[in-house]
Amino acid sequence: MRINDFFEMMSGMTLDYLFLSFMIYSFGGWLFETTIISLWESGHFLNRGSLLGPYCPVYGGGAVLGIIMAHHIPHPAVQFFASACLCIVCEYICATILEDGFHVKLWDYSGMPFNYKGRICLLGFMFFGIATTVISRFVEPIVVSLFNKSDPRIITVTAILMALLLAGDTILSGIAFSRKSRKLYRFYIRYHAMLNREFRSISHAIQRKLPMPLREKCAAFQAAILHRNHILNERHNEHKEQISEYRDQVTEKVGEYREIVTEKVGEYREHVTEKVGEYREHVTEKVGEYREHVGEKVTEYREQVGEKIDRFRRK
């Protein structure tokens, strides 16, 4: 089976169509992170992509997983749960690789409720489930219809070029993250700093062009968002302190119970040793008595046998 046939069997789409869909949703994820999420967290646009190009592969991968789930799972609720589980696992794996392998933390859900190590959270689970279900069932058919209207050769060539671009970008970013090339790492830092300055100036320019009443409303809304995020972070820090206190208390209690158990085990060991000594003495006495008794019986039987032998000799 050819690889193209395999992907068509898995998703109902050829590999070039599927890969271009992956790149489109990766760009959409980058746009979503750069605008909405950045406004929510910092009040202005920020480049939140992990690579040099304008795409977030985590979003593209989640969308592709949703497309595959939609091809095999007809029920939307089941697809939502399956896609959300797969996407959240992929997000955790990506965060683990970036943090443990490259010592880079690109997202942190520590201030969110029901998070695990700041890498995944319940809100992300719900978002990925809803987004992948909506994309695979409503957005992707439109994208495929646009692909079908284009020349297949253009689609294939575009997919190959985009794949080469993504591969080169991933390799360069990996080298920069691992700091194997200091020049590339410094270029990476300067590049992202330059993008963030440009995005910040664009967001400020957009705000200045807004009418004053709308600008004041946007500023008030932005201040409310930042205040809400500040409250969430404070609550998270309080929860951290409480968890640390509970951990210390549990550690103390475990230490106390360990000492108590150790004392009890020592007492039971001494008690068992005494009982074993008593039973050993008792068994030794019984064995001695049985030995004497058996010796007497053997002597009696020996005398009786001797008498029997003497009688036979006399006869």
Side-chain angles (χ1 to χ4, degrees):
M1 179 184 294
R2 295 184 302 172
I3 187 170
N4 198 37
D5 297 335
F6 171 76
F7 280 100
E8 190 170 3
M9 180 190 69
M10 291 296 295
S11 61
M13 301 168 59
T14 57
L15 180 58
D16 49 359
Y17 278 38
L18 192 64
F19 182 76
L20 286 181
S21 297
F22 166 81
M23 293 301 297
I24 289 173
Y25 299 125
S26 296
F27 172 74
W30 174 84
L31 197 62
F32 173 75
E33 288 280 343
T34 303
T35 56
I36 297 176
I37 300 300
S38 296
L39 286 172
W40 176 269
E41 293 186 351
S42 58
H44 52 77
F45 299 150
L46 282 175
N47 177 35
R48 296 179 54 94
S50 58
L51 303 176
L52 296 175
Y55 31 71
C56 291
V58 174
Y59 285 87
V64 168
L65 288 175
I67 294 169
I68 294 174
M69 290 296 102
H71 184 69
H72 293 278
I73 301 175
H75 199 282
V78 180
Q79 182 200 352
F80 162 81
F81 185 76
S83 302
C85 289
L86 288 174
C87 290
I88 209 73
V89 169
C90 291
E91 186 181 26
Y92 182 81
I93 292 173
C94 291
T96 303
I97 293 173
L98 289 172
E99 293 179 23
D100 297 342
F102 299 101
H103 307 289
V104 175
K105 194 176 186 68
L106 296 178
W107 61 84
D108 188 5
Y109 300 128
S110 298
M112 304 296 294
F114 304 103
N115 74 88
Y116 180 69
K117 294 184 178 181
R119 298 173 180 176
I120 55 176
C121 66
L122 180 60
L123 182 61
F125 177 87
M126 300 296 294
F127 171 78
F128 276 120
I130 295 173
T132 53
T133 304
V134 171
I135 286 172
S136 60
R137 291 185 174 271
F138 301 103
V139 180
E140 184 61 17
I142 300 174
V143 174
V144 172
S145 65
L146 294 176
F147 286 163
N148 291 331
K149 294 178 182 179
S150 303
D151 189 346
R153 291 173 295 181
I154 296 177
I155 295 292
T156 302
V157 172
T158 305
I160 293 173
L161 293 177
M162 295 296 290
L164 294 175
L165 178 64
L166 179 62
D169 193 349
T170 304
I171 294 171
L172 292 176
S173 299
I175 295 173
F177 278 137
S178 60
R179 301 189 183 184
K180 293 181 179 180
S181 174
R182 293 183 179 180
K183 292 182 179 180
L184 187 59
Y185 177 72
R186 287 195 294 268
F187 166 76
Y188 189 90
I189 296 299
R190 288 196 297 266
Y191 173 77
H192 280 276
M194 181 269 295
L195 282 182
N196 287 330
R197 286 195 301 269
E198 292 296 327
F199 285 141
R200 192 180 295 112
S201 63
I202 290 172
S203 60
H204 292 331
I206 292 174
Q207 290 177 1
R208 286 194 296 269
K209 290 182 179 180
L210 294 176
M212 185 57 67
L214 183 58
R215 191 189 307 175
E216 292 177 353
K217 289 182 180 180
C218 290
F221 182 65
Q222 176 182 333
I225 290 174
L226 295 177
H227 179 66
R228 179 62 178 171
N229 287 340
H230 180 69
I231 292 175
L232 287 175
N233 290 330
E234 287 184 347
R235 288 181 180 176
H236 174 67
N237 293 329
E238 291 176 359
H239 292 160
K240 266 189 174 179
E241 294 177 357
Q242 292 177 358
I243 291 172
S244 179
E245 292 177 0
Y246 290 143
R247 187 181 293 123
D248 294 338
Q249 293 176 3
V250 169
T251 304
E252 292 178 0
K253 290 293 183 182
V254 168
E256 294 176 0
Y257 288 135
R258 186 177 292 154
E259 292 177 358
I260 294 172
V261 170
T262 303
E263 293 177 359
K264 291 293 184 182
V265 168
E267 294 176 359
Y268 287 136
R269 186 178 292 156
E270 292 176 359
H271 180 69
V272 169
T273 303
E274 292 177 359
K275 289 295 183 182
V276 168
E278 293 177 1
Y279 288 136
R280 185 178 291 154
E281 293 177 358
H282 181 69
V283 169
T284 303
E285 292 178 359
K286 289 294 184 182
V287 169
E289 293 176 1
Y290 288 137
R291 186 177 290 159
E292 293 177 358
H293 181 69
V294 170
E296 292 176 358
K297 290 294 184 181
V298 169
T299 304
E300 292 178 1
Y301 288 138
R302 188 177 290 160
E303 292 176 356
Q304 291 177 2
V305 170
E307 291 177 358
K308 294 286 186 182
I309 292 172
D310 291 337
R311 289 177 186 173
F312 283 121
R313 283 179 182 171
R314 291 172 185 170
K315 292 180 179 181

